[in-house]
Amino acid sequence: MEEVQRHSVHTLIFRSLKRTHDMFVSNQGALPEIDDKLEKIRKSIKAHDSYSLVFDRVARAESNRKCAEIANSGRKSSLSNPEKVLYITNGQDNPVNVNTNATILAADTINKNNFDIPSSTAMVAMTGIRPSVNSTSNVQLIPKKAPAIPKPTWHAPWKLARVISGHLGWVRCIAVEPQNEWFATGAGDRVIKIWDLASGKLKLSLTGHVSTVRGLAVSTKHPYLFSCGEDRQVKCWDLEYNKVIRHYHGHLSAVYSMALHPTIDVLATSGRDSTARIWDMRTKANIHTLTGHTNTVASVVAQAVNPQIITGSHDSTIRLWDLAAGKSVCTLTNHKKSVRSIVLHPTLYMFASASPDNIKQWRCPEGNFIQNISGHNAIVNCMAVNADGVLVSGGDNGTMFFWDWRTGYNFQRFQAPLQPGSMDSEAGIFAMAFDQSGSRLITAEADKTIKIYKEDEEASEDTHPVNWRPEILKRRKF
């Protein structure tokens, strides 16, 4: 039995390449010759299909230009040859007084077929040759004006009002109570803490999760707090007894986001198993498992109309789901990178999605694209918007950008201050939410603190003017 000679991987690869080359080299020159006539026909068909409207407009503009040149040459010839000028007469060979401002056309420039004028009479000239009734060459091209960019609404700048320390891990989620008296936070220390919104004091700590708490939601109709975490658990807490009363089992991996439907008693959760699940709040039944995303579903929101669920995923897509049918209605593929946050506008029928490429605005329920908001060049982890049209985005590097919702104008940006003793790598914002009044912004950060921001009451339009430069925006957008 002969021994098989062993070769290096490098040698085997090059031998494979050589065999492939030898096999296909004979077909290199076997391509058919290009027929110039057919190639010209193909290009003309393609050009007509793509640019026929432009060709028609160019032809009409050229026709109008020639008509204007003929009219101008006619005026010049009539002025230089007075014997050829036709006058309006009264039938006795006496010219009638004509308004001196009227332009007189030369007889040899009038198209008798179009005007049906006898040679013994004359008319007051027009400013140009009148085309025939059937002619369409007199259509004027009106240049399109670029759409006017509205001036952004003035918003007061925001400043840091309070820093709350108490968690022992990264603070990952925030939920504000509907009565605006307290808010809850969840963190990497596996504890849910409830804080007084006015004073910032700790009211309650809830323990039960065995891993990082990633999502919180407070019911507007029941005394319930819902939580989810990286331990695959979804819990319902009864705040009258401060204990868990329901578990929702079904997720196969970490649960990253949750949302309560505003009108129906259902709960939506999403996570690392690439699904979003809809739960009956009372019976704990898994009503729908929304499948279709191919990567982690990082954000889920629920809006009342239709009824509809919107999810954003690390597969760079946004899906709009029909809650009644449990099916995807629309998939938005405009983003090129992971969608980590989706936020609904509190009053307008719109939502925004955040990705490292840019923030995009959409109109519900079909997901019609409105505009791009560019400039936050970071991994945007979270967003929040209030009824005044202030959109805030928080980055993984601790940057916060404040935008005017309507125009996308960035009126403020800054780096969130770090807790003393923290490393620079702990500058990150994981979650943010406005309180129910929209006057205070709460952020959850990687330096284990909760920060509360409010508007600067001393600021005015004179001290902080809107740096509005629409010419730059026009160059950027059009």
Side-chain angles (χ1 to χ4, degrees), residues 261-264 266 288 301-310 320-327 329 349 365:
H261 198 278
T263 56
I264 310 170
V266 297
H288 295 302
V301 293
Q303 54 116 347
V305 185
N306 274 356
Q308 197 175 57
I309 298 290
I310 305 169
L320 285 69
W321 306 85
D322 182 352
L323 191 54
K327 294 181 180 178
V329 177
Y349 197 32

Side-chain angles (χ1 to χ4, degrees), residues 312-334:
S313 170
H314 286 189
D315 63 6
S316 308
T317 65
I318 301 162
R319 284 181 180 258
L320 285 69
W321 306 85
D322 182 352
L323 191 54
K327 294 181 180 178
S328 175
V329 177
C330 177
T331 303
L332 308 175
T333 59
N334 302 47

Side-chain angles (χ1 to χ4, degrees), residues 208-276:
H209 281 280
V210 295
S211 189
T212 303
V213 183
R214 293 295 294 264
L216 291 171
V218 185
S219 174
T220 57
K221 297 183 288 184
H222 312 288
Y224 293 157
L225 169 69
F226 296 87
S227 64
C228 62
E230 293 181 4
D231 52 8
R232 299 178 294 178
Q233 295 186 42
V234 180
K235 297 175 182 288
C236 174
W237 303 78
D238 188 330
L239 296 176
E240 291 178 345
Y241 298 96
N242 297 334
K243 65 179 184 180
V244 178
I245 58 171
R246 295 187 190 95
H247 288 90
Y248 303 89
H249 296 288
H251 275 286
L252 305 176
S253 190
V255 188
Y256 284 169
S257 179
M258 66 191 325
L260 283 169
H261 198 278
T263 56
I264 310 170
D265 282 348
V266 297
L267 172 70
T269 58
S270 66
R272 205 164 55 195
D273 57 3
S274 306
T275 66

